Amino acid sequence: MPKFSRRSFIGAGLAVSGLGLTAACGRSGASGPSGALVKPTDPIVDAVEKERPASGKERAFTLRAAETELDLGGRTVRTWSYGDALPGRELRLTAGDTIKATLENRLPDPTSVHWHGLAMRNDMDGVPSVTQAPVKPGEDFTYRFIVDTPGTHWFHPHVGTQIDRGLYAPIIVEDPDEPLAYDEEWVVMLDDWLDGVDGATPDDVLDEVRGGMDHGGHGMGHGDEGPMRMGAMLMGASSDLLGGDAGDVYYPVHLVDGRPGADPRTFSAKPGARVRIRLVNAGGDTAYRVALGGHRMTVTHTDGYPVEHREVDAVLLGMGERYDVLVTLEDGVFPLVALAEGKDMTGRAVVRTGSGEAPKEDVRPDELDGEVVHATELAADPQVRLERRSPETEHEIELTGSMAAYDWALNGRRFDREDPTRGAFKVEQGQRVRLVFKNSTKMWHPMHLHGHTFQVGKDGPRKDTLIVLPGRSVEVEFDADNPGRWLVHCHNIYHGEVGMMGLVAYTA
Ligand SMILES: [Cu+2]
């Protein structure tokens, strides 16, 4: 029986790199400096998949994407979700398993499923116009691949603004050699909600923000009075933690585990229980600062990868980011609060280990203003730290654009779905790659790389989604061990949709 430790994954990665180099050499005659790019259907993708450590166990799931009606604390909304639930039902596997997930598209529009945080074979990455054809209404598509990335991950469509409806759910990959000990586990998804409230849809919002701030905000004073709503847009949402402008979009509701603060989820446990809370930000345009009243928490993982443990009062999650924290519960009733960063609104759940009244809906525990950890202040657990090596390839990815023009882009170039490889950041199988995210805008951006987990700085955490503050540059490195065409993009859905996306593409 093979053992699937973190180390064996790393070992397998190196073995795969060797294989890739051989394959590349065999074909070197065909590839020059501007050589052809690996396609998602190329044999190399299959060859790398065969090298992944596998248990041989297949786990089958069905994901039915459909229109539905949901009750958000007395307010009924029409929206789109998986299996009529919000969030969709959690998928749980063990590293080494093969997932077989059949997407049944019963939506009026084409869709897809992207597996956020999983380094899977390229043709299963779920990005229409890059890795697959969109799944048409009424059609099914089966995603089948080896899952070898333990941790807290999630899935959502990669089509239009669909992620800002109810189409999201957690996928938890258990580590067969899990070193953490805990009594309970809660997966807590955070989401900014507007779909179906007063007839709004994310597509309407996109149309409105696309017009830019000049259409509504001209001459608006803001700052002292806090954020101000202008139609679907939010003016003056500002956050010190995010270095200024916090977000562009007004959301009437903030959900914790699919429920509004008026009708919160209650997590029950015994006093003294040690709980692993897996936090996921599934929002479209909102960072969340999360704290548990009356408790400090120990950060153990971000984006599925272990970090050197760090005790904090609160964590900050950009869209797409995950944090795992451990807490030892006191006796009583406590609010788990997600502050919509800079937007002056909260979502909450209730943690109950004893009797007592639930905390008020608008409660803001002191811990929110305590010690907050940024990803760049964390260190990777030595087990997952990349070995020191000089990069063979370096790409500067400048984050460009402005709120006024709403022309968000990478290196001044908007992503072109008709010609997605134009301007691609080329890498070769086996290389150490350095990306430099240089934020030249006046706003923060949560930058997400598909198919890989980079290391932040020299010893920072392994992550796939990273907050890049305005005016800052951050270097990240990864080993090119998963051939294909992989999106690198801002996980603010509205920024991404208007063009703040690009491709990391392997040369053949
Ligand atoms: Cu952005």
Side-chain angles (χ1 to χ4, degrees), residues 137-150:
E139 289 186 351
D140 297 352
F141 183 90
T142 297
Y143 292 88
R144 188 172 184 281
F145 55 92
I146 297 165
V147 171
D148 69 356
T149 319

Side-chain angles (χ1 to χ4, degrees), residues 319 399 408 443-447 490-492 494-496 500:
M319 294 79 79
L399 317 182
W408 306 111
M443 200 175 169
W444 71 288
H445 304 278
M447 296 305 298
C490 178
H491 221 281
N492 180 312
Y494 299 97
H495 294 189
M500 203 170 206

